[in-house]
Structures are given as C-alpha cells and as structure tokens.
mmCIF file of all heavy atoms in Angstrom:
data_model
loop_
_atom_site.group_PDB
_atom_site.id
_atom_site.type_symbol
_atom_site.label_atom_id
_atom_site.label_comp_id
_atom_site.label_asym_id
_atom_site.label_seq_id
_atom_site.Cartn_x
_atom_site.Cartn_y
_atom_site.Cartn_z
ATOM 1 N N TYR O 1299 -20.236 -3.812 -2.513
ATOM 2 C CA TYR O 1299 -18.931 -4.617 -2.305
ATOM 3 C C TYR O 1299 -17.965 -4.138 -3.385
ATOM 4 O O TYR O 1299 -16.784 -3.679 -2.905
ATOM 5 C CB TYR O 1299 -19.260 -6.099 -2.589
ATOM 6 C CG TYR O 1299 -18.041 -6.961 -2.394
ATOM 7 C CD1 TYR O 1299 -17.799 -7.581 -1.164
ATOM 8 C CD2 TYR O 1299 -17.134 -7.205 -3.468
ATOM 9 C CE1 TYR O 1299 -16.589 -8.344 -0.993
ATOM 10 C CE2 TYR O 1299 -16.020 -8.073 -3.273
ATOM 11 C CZ TYR O 1299 -15.804 -8.599 -2.026
ATOM 12 O OH TYR O 1299 -14.702 -9.358 -1.906
ATOM 13 N N ASP O 1300 -18.318 -3.973 -4.670
ATOM 14 C CA ASP O 1300 -17.266 -3.418 -5.581
ATOM 15 C C ASP O 1300 -16.887 -1.988 -5.359
ATOM 16 O O ASP O 1300 -15.665 -1.688 -5.565
ATOM 17 C CB ASP O 1300 -17.790 -3.692 -6.961
ATOM 18 C CG ASP O 1300 -17.797 -5.161 -7.522
ATOM 19 O OD1 ASP O 1300 -17.108 -5.930 -6.797
ATOM 20 O OD2 ASP O 1300 -18.479 -5.590 -8.298
ATOM 21 N N ALA O 1301 -17.933 -1.279 -5.123
ATOM 22 C CA ALA O 1301 -17.685 0.141 -4.964
ATOM 23 C C ALA O 1301 -16.844 0.530 -3.729
ATOM 24 O O ALA O 1301 -16.016 1.511 -3.762
ATOM 25 C CB ALA O 1301 -18.906 0.932 -4.837
ATOM 26 N N TYR O 1302 -16.776 -0.256 -2.671
ATOM 27 C CA TYR O 1302 -16.122 0.089 -1.518
ATOM 28 C C TYR O 1302 -15.013 -0.883 -1.058
ATOM 29 O O TYR O 1302 -13.994 -0.688 -1.055
ATOM 30 C CB TYR O 1302 -17.128 0.221 -0.227
ATOM 31 C CG TYR O 1302 -18.030 1.405 -0.534
ATOM 32 C CD1 TYR O 1302 -19.331 1.338 -0.947
ATOM 33 C CD2 TYR O 1302 -17.510 2.748 -0.349
ATOM 34 C CE1 TYR O 1302 -20.158 2.463 -1.069
ATOM 35 C CE2 TYR O 1302 -18.409 3.784 -0.518
ATOM 36 C CZ TYR O 1302 -19.710 3.724 -0.915
ATOM 37 O OH TYR O 1302 -20.506 4.735 -1.113
ATOM 38 N N TYR O 1303 -15.521 -2.200 -0.799
ATOM 39 C CA TYR O 1303 -14.600 -3.206 -0.154
ATOM 40 C C TYR O 1303 -13.489 -3.580 -1.199
ATOM 41 O O TYR O 1303 -12.231 -3.577 -0.924
ATOM 42 C CB TYR O 1303 -15.208 -4.437 0.389
ATOM 43 C CG TYR O 1303 -14.452 -5.373 0.942
ATOM 44 C CD1 TYR O 1303 -13.863 -5.219 2.197
ATOM 45 C CD2 TYR O 1303 -13.983 -6.654 0.322
ATOM 46 C CE1 TYR O 1303 -12.881 -6.199 2.766
ATOM 47 C CE2 TYR O 1303 -13.188 -7.556 0.752
ATOM 48 C CZ TYR O 1303 -12.661 -7.387 2.047
ATOM 49 O OH TYR O 1303 -11.810 -8.211 2.562
ATOM 50 N N ARG O 1304 -13.973 -3.871 -2.426
ATOM 51 C CA ARG O 1304 -12.955 -4.308 -3.530
ATOM 52 C C ARG O 1304 -12.089 -3.082 -3.861
ATOM 53 O O ARG O 1304 -10.855 -3.425 -3.923
ATOM 54 C CB ARG O 1304 -13.733 -4.800 -4.683
ATOM 55 C CG ARG O 1304 -12.816 -5.486 -5.743
ATOM 56 C CD ARG O 1304 -13.447 -5.783 -6.937
ATOM 57 N NE ARG O 1304 -14.631 -6.759 -6.773
ATOM 58 C CZ ARG O 1304 -14.364 -8.151 -6.706
ATOM 59 N NH1 ARG O 1304 -13.162 -8.629 -6.851
ATOM 60 N NH2 ARG O 1304 -15.392 -8.966 -6.541
ATOM 61 N N ARG O 1305 -12.466 -1.926 -3.944
ATOM 62 C CA ARG O 1305 -11.751 -0.791 -4.154
ATOM 63 C C ARG O 1305 -10.653 -0.551 -3.106
ATOM 64 O O ARG O 1305 -9.478 -0.209 -3.437
ATOM 65 C CB ARG O 1305 -12.491 0.455 -4.446
ATOM 66 C CG ARG O 1305 -11.797 1.671 -4.768
ATOM 67 C CD ARG O 1305 -12.721 2.788 -5.196
ATOM 68 N NE ARG O 1305 -13.462 2.611 -6.406
ATOM 69 C CZ ARG O 1305 -14.151 3.528 -6.980
ATOM 70 N NH1 ARG O 1305 -14.454 4.513 -6.375
ATOM 71 N NH2 ARG O 1305 -14.763 3.198 -8.186
ATOM 72 N N ALA O 1306 -11.090 -0.784 -1.918
ATOM 73 C CA ALA O 1306 -10.168 -0.549 -0.682
ATOM 74 C C ALA O 1306 -9.209 -1.617 -0.779
ATOM 75 O O ALA O 1306 -7.904 -1.314 -0.565
ATOM 76 C CB ALA O 1306 -10.882 -0.735 0.460
ATOM 77 N N GLN O 1307 -9.479 -2.828 -1.215
ATOM 78 C CA GLN O 1307 -8.312 -3.885 -1.371
ATOM 79 C C GLN O 1307 -7.269 -3.481 -2.594
ATOM 80 O O GLN O 1307 -6.203 -3.892 -2.367
ATOM 81 C CB GLN O 1307 -8.988 -5.225 -1.583
ATOM 82 C CG GLN O 1307 -9.694 -5.740 -0.281
ATOM 83 C CD GLN O 1307 -8.786 -6.271 0.776
ATOM 84 O OE1 GLN O 1307 -7.580 -5.947 0.794
ATOM 85 N NE2 GLN O 1307 -9.300 -7.035 1.826
ATOM 86 N N ARG O 1308 -7.914 -2.924 -3.511
ATOM 87 C CA ARG O 1308 -7.005 -2.460 -4.657
ATOM 88 C C ARG O 1308 -6.089 -1.445 -4.067
ATOM 89 O O ARG O 1308 -4.878 -1.348 -4.497
ATOM 90 C CB ARG O 1308 -7.822 -2.025 -5.739
ATOM 91 C CG ARG O 1308 -8.646 -3.091 -6.592
ATOM 92 C CD ARG O 1308 -9.557 -2.504 -7.528
ATOM 93 N NE ARG O 1308 -10.206 -3.567 -8.287
ATOM 94 C CZ ARG O 1308 -11.360 -3.305 -9.054
ATOM 95 N NH1 ARG O 1308 -11.834 -2.025 -9.208
ATOM 96 N NH2 ARG O 1308 -11.918 -4.356 -9.715
ATOM 97 N N VAL O 1309 -6.458 -0.450 -3.257
ATOM 98 C CA VAL O 1309 -5.607 0.505 -2.728
ATOM 99 C C VAL O 1309 -4.549 -0.122 -1.923
ATOM 100 O O VAL O 1309 -3.339 0.200 -1.926
ATOM 101 C CB VAL O 1309 -6.408 1.539 -1.924
ATOM 102 C CG1 VAL O 1309 -5.502 2.502 -1.145
ATOM 103 C CG2 VAL O 1309 -7.405 2.331 -2.760
ATOM 104 N N ARG O 1310 -4.930 -1.154 -1.164
ATOM 105 C CA ARG O 1310 -4.074 -1.895 -0.332
ATOM 106 C C ARG O 1310 -2.876 -2.486 -1.199
ATOM 107 O O ARG O 1310 -1.690 -2.491 -0.814
ATOM 108 C CB ARG O 1310 -4.755 -2.998 0.497
ATOM 109 C CG ARG O 1310 -3.936 -3.666 1.415
ATOM 110 C CD ARG O 1310 -4.816 -4.798 2.106
ATOM 111 N NE ARG O 1310 -3.993 -5.328 3.235
ATOM 112 C CZ ARG O 1310 -4.610 -6.183 4.196
ATOM 113 N NH1 ARG O 1310 -5.780 -6.598 4.031
ATOM 114 N NH2 ARG O 1310 -3.880 -6.651 5.146
ATOM 115 N N THR O 1311 -3.395 -3.202 -2.398
ATOM 116 C CA THR O 1311 -2.284 -3.685 -3.152
ATOM 117 C C THR O 1311 -1.402 -2.603 -3.763
ATOM 118 O O THR O 1311 -0.126 -2.899 -3.912
ATOM 119 C CB THR O 1311 -3.006 -4.335 -4.420
ATOM 120 O OG1 THR O 1311 -3.799 -5.411 -3.903
ATOM 121 C CG2 THR O 1311 -2.016 -4.911 -5.439
ATOM 122 N N LEU O 1312 -1.948 -1.444 -4.141
ATOM 123 C CA LEU O 1312 -0.996 -0.296 -4.579
ATOM 124 C C LEU O 1312 -0.060 0.063 -3.433
ATOM 125 O O LEU O 1312 1.053 0.350 -3.748
ATOM 126 C CB LEU O 1312 -1.959 0.818 -5.050
ATOM 127 C CG LEU O 1312 -2.800 0.381 -6.400
ATOM 128 C CD1 LEU O 1312 -3.769 1.575 -6.515
ATOM 129 C CD2 LEU O 1312 -1.969 0.313 -7.587
ATOM 130 N N LEU O 1313 -0.547 0.203 -2.257
ATOM 131 C CA LEU O 1313 0.416 0.494 -1.201
ATOM 132 C C LEU O 1313 1.431 -0.484 -0.931
ATOM 133 O O LEU O 1313 2.624 0.015 -0.697
ATOM 134 C CB LEU O 1313 -0.481 0.721 0.001
ATOM 135 C CG LEU O 1313 0.274 1.100 1.287
ATOM 136 C CD1 LEU O 1313 0.806 2.391 1.236
ATOM 137 C CD2 LEU O 1313 -0.625 0.884 2.506
ATOM 138 N N ILE O 1314 1.172 -1.743 -1.084
ATOM 139 C CA ILE O 1314 2.068 -2.684 -0.960
ATOM 140 C C ILE O 1314 3.252 -2.647 -2.091
ATOM 141 O O ILE O 1314 4.363 -2.732 -1.786
ATOM 142 C CB ILE O 1314 1.504 -4.172 -0.940
ATOM 143 C CG1 ILE O 1314 0.616 -4.364 0.268
ATOM 144 C CG2 ILE O 1314 2.605 -5.279 -1.196
ATOM 145 C CD1 ILE O 1314 -0.222 -5.630 0.203
ATOM 146 N N ARG O 1315 2.680 -2.370 -3.141
ATOM 147 C CA ARG O 1315 3.658 -2.134 -4.300
ATOM 148 C C ARG O 1315 4.523 -0.833 -4.104
ATOM 149 O O ARG O 1315 5.782 -0.929 -4.422
ATOM 150 C CB ARG O 1315 2.892 -1.936 -5.650
ATOM 151 C CG ARG O 1315 2.272 -3.253 -6.140
ATOM 152 C CD ARG O 1315 1.347 -2.929 -7.366
ATOM 153 N NE ARG O 1315 0.712 -4.184 -7.753
ATOM 154 C CZ ARG O 1315 -0.155 -4.159 -8.802
ATOM 155 N NH1 ARG O 1315 -0.533 -3.098 -9.336
ATOM 156 N NH2 ARG O 1315 -0.743 -5.407 -9.101
ATOM 157 N N ASP O 1316 3.894 0.132 -3.535
ATOM 158 C CA ASP O 1316 4.715 1.413 -3.183
ATOM 159 C C ASP O 1316 5.787 1.096 -2.237
ATOM 160 O O ASP O 1316 7.021 1.506 -2.379
ATOM 161 C CB ASP O 1316 3.825 2.402 -2.588
ATOM 162 C CG ASP O 1316 2.915 3.187 -3.558
ATOM 163 O OD1 ASP O 1316 3.098 2.932 -4.812
ATOM 164 O OD2 ASP O 1316 1.844 3.808 -3.062
ATOM 165 N N PHE O 1317 5.465 0.235 -1.239
ATOM 166 C CA PHE O 1317 6.534 -0.014 -0.321
ATOM 167 C C PHE O 1317 7.581 -0.860 -0.888
ATOM 168 O O PHE O 1317 8.807 -0.780 -0.544
ATOM 169 C CB PHE O 1317 5.837 -0.823 0.968
ATOM 170 C CG PHE O 1317 5.309 0.010 2.067
ATOM 171 C CD1 PHE O 1317 3.978 0.220 2.406
ATOM 172 C CD2 PHE O 1317 6.205 0.933 2.853
ATOM 173 C CE1 PHE O 1317 3.523 0.821 3.295
ATOM 174 C CE2 PHE O 1317 5.768 1.661 3.773
ATOM 175 C CZ PHE O 1317 4.374 1.672 4.191
ATOM 176 N N ALA O 1318 7.077 -1.783 -1.701
ATOM 177 C CA ALA O 1318 8.194 -2.808 -2.373
ATOM 178 C C ALA O 1318 9.154 -1.940 -3.243
ATOM 179 O O ALA O 1318 10.331 -2.202 -3.231
ATOM 180 C CB ALA O 1318 7.469 -3.688 -3.244
ATOM 181 N N ALA O 1319 8.681 -0.798 -3.943
ATOM 182 C CA ALA O 1319 9.519 0.042 -4.596
ATOM 183 C C ALA O 1319 10.406 0.852 -3.715
ATOM 184 O O ALA O 1319 11.596 0.959 -3.978
ATOM 185 C CB ALA O 1319 8.666 0.923 -5.455
ATOM 186 N N ALA O 1320 9.738 1.298 -2.512
ATOM 187 C CA ALA O 1320 10.741 2.039 -1.621
ATOM 188 C C ALA O 1320 11.863 1.265 -0.962
ATOM 189 O O ALA O 1320 12.981 1.632 -0.912
ATOM 190 C CB ALA O 1320 9.769 2.620 -0.551
ATOM 191 N N TYR O 1321 11.487 -0.041 -0.783
ATOM 192 C CA TYR O 1321 12.467 -0.780 -0.053
ATOM 193 C C TYR O 1321 13.534 -1.418 -1.108
ATOM 194 O O TYR O 1321 14.561 -1.974 -0.624
ATOM 195 C CB TYR O 1321 11.828 -2.129 0.674
ATOM 196 C CG TYR O 1321 11.199 -1.595 1.860
ATOM 197 C CD1 TYR O 1321 9.902 -1.912 2.242
ATOM 198 C CD2 TYR O 1321 11.933 -0.819 2.937
ATOM 199 C CE1 TYR O 1321 9.225 -1.379 3.367
ATOM 200 C CE2 TYR O 1321 11.397 -0.368 4.034
ATOM 201 C CZ TYR O 1321 9.933 -0.664 4.311
ATOM 202 O OH TYR O 1321 9.338 -0.248 5.408
ATOM 203 N N GLU O 1322 13.433 -1.162 -2.361
ATOM 204 C CA GLU O 1322 14.459 -1.350 -3.159
ATOM 205 C C GLU O 1322 15.570 -0.327 -3.232
ATOM 206 O O GLU O 1322 16.823 -0.610 -3.541
ATOM 207 C CB GLU O 1322 13.884 -1.413 -4.799
ATOM 208 C CG GLU O 1322 13.088 -2.659 -5.008
ATOM 209 C CD GLU O 1322 12.490 -2.567 -6.512
ATOM 210 O OE1 GLU O 1322 12.800 -1.630 -7.234
ATOM 211 O OE2 GLU O 1322 11.911 -3.474 -6.840
ATOM 212 N N ARG O 1323 15.150 0.783 -2.616
ATOM 213 C CA ARG O 1323 16.042 1.840 -2.469
ATOM 214 C C ARG O 1323 16.631 2.183 -1.112
ATOM 215 O O ARG O 1323 17.708 2.621 -0.909
ATOM 216 C CB ARG O 1323 15.455 3.180 -2.935
ATOM 217 C CG ARG O 1323 15.106 3.319 -4.446
ATOM 218 C CD ARG O 1323 14.603 4.787 -4.622
ATOM 219 N NE ARG O 1323 15.482 5.772 -4.191
ATOM 220 C CZ ARG O 1323 15.060 6.977 -3.805
ATOM 221 N NH1 ARG O 1323 13.928 7.356 -3.577
ATOM 222 N NH2 ARG O 1323 16.065 7.816 -3.408
ATOM 223 N N PHE O 1324 15.685 1.670 -0.167
ATOM 224 C CA PHE O 1324 16.122 1.889 1.349
ATOM 225 C C PHE O 1324 16.075 0.624 2.085
ATOM 226 O O PHE O 1324 15.334 -0.321 1.924
ATOM 227 C CB PHE O 1324 15.178 2.956 1.856
ATOM 228 C CG PHE O 1324 15.172 4.194 1.232
ATOM 229 C CD1 PHE O 1324 14.106 4.597 0.213
ATOM 230 C CD2 PHE O 1324 16.184 5.156 1.305
ATOM 231 C CE1 PHE O 1324 14.150 5.904 -0.406
ATOM 232 C CE2 PHE O 1324 16.204 6.443 0.550
ATOM 233 C CZ PHE O 1324 15.182 6.699 -0.228
ATOM 234 N N ASP O 1325 16.812 0.624 3.127
ATOM 235 C CA ASP O 1325 16.718 -0.479 4.163
ATOM 236 C C ASP O 1325 15.763 -0.384 5.162
ATOM 237 O O ASP O 1325 15.047 -1.398 5.562
ATOM 238 C CB ASP O 1325 18.114 -0.754 4.851
ATOM 239 C CG ASP O 1325 19.266 -0.901 3.955
ATOM 240 O OD1 ASP O 1325 19.266 -1.962 3.189
ATOM 241 O OD2 ASP O 1325 20.215 -0.091 3.858
ATOM 242 N N VAL O 1326 15.473 0.832 5.607
ATOM 243 C CA VAL O 1326 14.522 1.200 6.485
ATOM 244 C C VAL O 1326 13.749 2.483 6.011
ATOM 245 O O VAL O 1326 14.406 3.314 5.327
ATOM 246 C CB VAL O 1326 14.847 1.197 7.927
ATOM 247 C CG1 VAL O 1326 15.339 -0.124 8.437
ATOM 248 C CG2 VAL O 1326 15.787 2.320 8.112
ATOM 249 N N LEU O 1327 12.658 2.816 6.610
ATOM 250 C CA LEU O 1327 11.959 4.182 6.401
ATOM 251 C C LEU O 1327 11.678 4.736 7.823
ATOM 252 O O LEU O 1327 11.435 4.075 8.901
ATOM 253 C CB LEU O 1327 10.613 3.852 5.686
ATOM 254 C CG LEU O 1327 10.790 3.212 4.273
ATOM 255 C CD1 LEU O 1327 9.356 2.952 3.722
ATOM 256 C CD2 LEU O 1327 11.640 4.050 3.298
ATOM 257 N N LEU O 1328 11.663 6.092 7.864
ATOM 258 C CA LEU O 1328 11.263 6.771 9.029
ATOM 259 C C LEU O 1328 9.914 7.624 8.687
ATOM 260 O O LEU O 1328 9.740 8.082 7.648
ATOM 261 C CB LEU O 1328 12.278 7.893 9.308
ATOM 262 C CG LEU O 1328 13.690 7.464 10.028
ATOM 263 C CD1 LEU O 1328 14.445 8.622 10.327
ATOM 264 C CD2 LEU O 1328 13.348 6.611 11.180
ATOM 265 N N ALA O 1329 9.217 7.823 9.816
ATOM 266 C CA ALA O 1329 7.918 8.591 9.789
ATOM 267 C C ALA O 1329 7.479 8.884 11.081
ATOM 268 O O ALA O 1329 8.021 8.374 12.102
ATOM 269 C CB ALA O 1329 6.828 7.694 9.050
ATOM 270 N N PRO O 1330 6.571 9.865 11.243
ATOM 271 C CA PRO O 1330 5.978 10.029 12.581
ATOM 272 C C PRO O 1330 5.088 8.820 13.031
ATOM 273 O O PRO O 1330 4.762 7.914 12.123
ATOM 274 C CB PRO O 1330 4.935 11.299 12.220
ATOM 275 C CG PRO O 1330 5.410 11.894 10.894
ATOM 276 C CD PRO O 1330 6.066 10.642 10.279
ATOM 277 N N THR O 1331 5.005 8.646 14.230
ATOM 278 C CA THR O 1331 4.218 7.514 14.855
ATOM 279 C C THR O 1331 2.708 8.114 14.909
ATOM 280 O O THR O 1331 1.795 7.713 14.270
ATOM 281 C CB THR O 1331 4.618 7.092 16.156
ATOM 282 O OG1 THR O 1331 5.983 6.765 16.056
ATOM 283 C CG2 THR O 1331 3.719 5.846 16.543
ATOM 284 N N SER O 1332 2.579 9.147 15.747
ATOM 285 C CA SER O 1332 1.291 9.914 15.917
ATOM 286 C C SER O 1332 1.433 11.245 15.362
ATOM 287 O O SER O 1332 2.459 11.911 15.554
ATOM 288 C CB SER O 1332 0.829 9.957 17.407
ATOM 289 O OG SER O 1332 -0.314 10.857 17.596
#
C-alpha cells in the first residue's frame, strides 16, 4: 500500500499543486488530446 497506492496519491497531490501554480499565470492551458 505505501510503496504503490500511497505514493501514487502523493504524485496526484504534486500534480494538483503544479496545476495550481500554472493557473496563477494562465487562464487556460493547451495540450495534445491524443
């Protein structure tokens, strides 16, 4: 659990923080879909 699931949830938290920082600078973001 700690080695996999909990670590994945930590990555999720870091990703949410990355987006929060990006949206302080930008109104929207662009990326490929597929």
